[in-house]
Amino acid sequence: SAKQAGGNRGVMYESALFDKAAQQFAIEADMRDALREGDQFVLLYQPLFRLGAGRSVLAGFEALLRWRHPVRGWLSPALFIPVAEESELILPLGEWVMEQALRQGRAFHAASPGAGLVMNVNVSALQLTQAGFCSGLAGVIEAEGLDAGQLCLEITESMLTGAGASTVLAEARELGVQVAIDDFGIGYSSLSYLRRLPVDVVKLDRSFLEDVGGGSSGEAFVVAVIALAHAAGKPVVFEGIETQDQKDIARRAGADMVQGFFFAPPLSANAALELVRSDRKLSELAEAITSD
Ligand code: C2E
Ligand code: MG
Ligand code: MG
Ligand code: MG
């Protein structure tokens, strides 16, 4: 009967819920161990490139967290960041990320001092609204020997709905730190608030690319959104570029920077450092040619 079927669904639902709760609990316990052990978390660095008339020039990196779980293997942040946020373990984890990313940013800077490479770091709402976030940040920046302007905090639209976050971001920008709004365009407040958002950079979500293609109005829409960001005085990063076509669209639409698998996936620290060095050589070569 229908009732019986419903009942079965109920049982399945409950057991799925139990599995989910059990899994979250297990992840949380393992995360506490991992934070103690110290070598299970790894940062990868995905390059951002500035589009220009000539070749795309390396502009910086986004630090992206991975967890090398001793039993489950590599885990994606989509799986464990929500658990870290719920359990507040994102606070120690986020501190580790910030320190590690800035230390690596310093190494990139040393390898190419003139390039002004920026390190983008994703920050959760809970971190931002923690008392002393900005003074802690100032301390890490100082300790790692970076210019504040070489750090860019990536936050999401939903974090701006509370008044608390905006105050903290204003404070961070006062330190000279940049702020980027991540995944822009998938929230609600976006367009009308763009001008007032306390951010320096807009990162367009890759979902915009799904609407583009085949000469539809999608591309015109992307052009308009980028123009709007520019009108608000904010440079635009187009995220998730996977093909030459998408790169061409980003360029035509006026995006200032690009990021995506077409250019490079998230890289190990060593691979990223190699990229910094080769980009520096290319820049020096271009300079030598133009000054001849
Ligand atoms: P996000 O900040 O929007 O990061 C961009 C995501 O898109 C990354 O996924 C990146 O690997 C992926 N990506 C890059 N290029 C392409 C592309 O061309 N195509 C497609 N389909 N995807 C691309 P990832 O590394 O799995 O991170 C997922 C999310 O987890 C991040 O989204 C961010 O919200 C969060 N996250 C990652 N690291 C941290 C962290 O250290 N702290 C916090 N709070 N969140 C983090
Ligand atoms: Mg991000
Ligand atoms: Mg993003
Ligand atoms: Mg995203």
Side-chain angles (χ1 to χ4, degrees):
S1 72
K3 193 175 174 224
Q4 206 176 341
N8 285 340
R9 259 202 304 279
V11 170
M12 277 169 59
Y13 183 53
E14 273 171 27
S15 88
L17 262 189
F18 175 78
D19 286 350
K20 190 161 183 253
Q23 169 161 316
Q24 296 215 343
F25 191 74
I27 293 174
E28 189 184 321
D30 290 350
M31 205 179 292
R32 284 182 204 281
D33 291 343
L35 280 165
R36 259 195 309 272
E37 306 278 326
D39 61 349
Q40 291 182 28
F41 291 109
V42 178
L43 282 185
L44 299 183
Y45 302 92
Q46 188 177 32
L48 282 77
F49 293 93
R50 188 168 290 109
L51 292 173
R55 75 183 180 93
S56 308
V57 176
L58 184 64
F61 295 90
E62 176 176 5
L64 292 163
L65 188 58
R66 299 289 181 270
W67 180 4
R68 190 174 33 197
H69 190 282
V71 178
R72 296 161 185 245
W74 289 99
L75 298 181
S76 134
L79 182 85
F80 65 82
I81 291 283
V83 180
E85 287 173 342
E86 230 167 282
S87 61
E88 304 200 350
L89 289 173
I90 193 68
L91 295 176
L93 187 54
E95 272 178 35
W96 180 86
V97 166
M98 188 62 71
E99 204 176 289
Q100 196 71 20
L102 292 189
R103 187 163 306 160
Q104 195 58 46
R106 171 77 208 163
F108 294 154
H109 178 69
S112 187
L117 299 174
V118 172
M119 181 61 76
N120 285 33
V121 179
N122 293 285
V123 176
S124 292
L126 189 68
Q127 289 175 267
L128 208 61
T129 52
Q130 208 62 16
F133 174 78
C134 278
S135 55
L137 196 58
V140 187
I141 291 169
E142 170 86 40
E144 300 304 335
L146 227 71
D147 283 345
Q150 288 179 272
L151 169 63
C152 180
L153 305 177
E154 291 199 8
I155 56 136
T156 55
E157 271 170 83
S158 59
M159 289 162 64
L160 289 166
T161 50
S166 298
T167 313
V168 180
L169 291 176
E171 210 183 312
R173 292 171 84 202
E174 210 119 293
L175 291 174
V177 170
Q178 299 187 58
V179 177
I181 186 153
D182 202 356
D183 305 332
F184 181 79
I186 61 173
Y188 299 101
S189 60
S190 2
L191 299 184
S192 54
Y193 285 104
L194 189 51
R195 213 154 68 93
R196 275 180 285 150
L197 288 179
V199 305
D200 306 283
V201 177
V202 171
K203 294 190 79 176
L204 271 197
D205 192 71
R206 68 179 311 276
S207 61
F208 276 106
L209 288 169
E210 286 158 21
D211 306 330
V212 176
S216 66
S217 64
E219 185 164 342
F221 189 70
V222 170
V223 169
V225 172
I226 293 177
L228 202 61
H230 285 167
K234 303 180 199 306
V236 174
V237 180
F238 215 129
E239 289 195 276
I241 305 275
E242 293 179 350
T243 66
Q244 176 73 51
D245 258 13
Q246 293 174 343
K247 178 192 172 182
D248 293 341
I249 289 163
R251 190 191 281 277
R252 278 202 302 274
D256 304 274
M257 281 178 271
V258 284
Q259 180 182 354
F261 298 158
F262 178 70
F263 303 95
L267 304 170
S268 71
N270 282 337
L273 195 57
E274 274 313 302
L275 178 68
V276 170
R277 293 197 178 112
S278 63
D279 193 80
R280 180 184 180 177
K281 283 195 193 104
L282 284 172
S283 297
E284 285 167 356
L285 203 63
E287 232 168 83
I289 290 167
T290 50
S291 63
D292 269 354

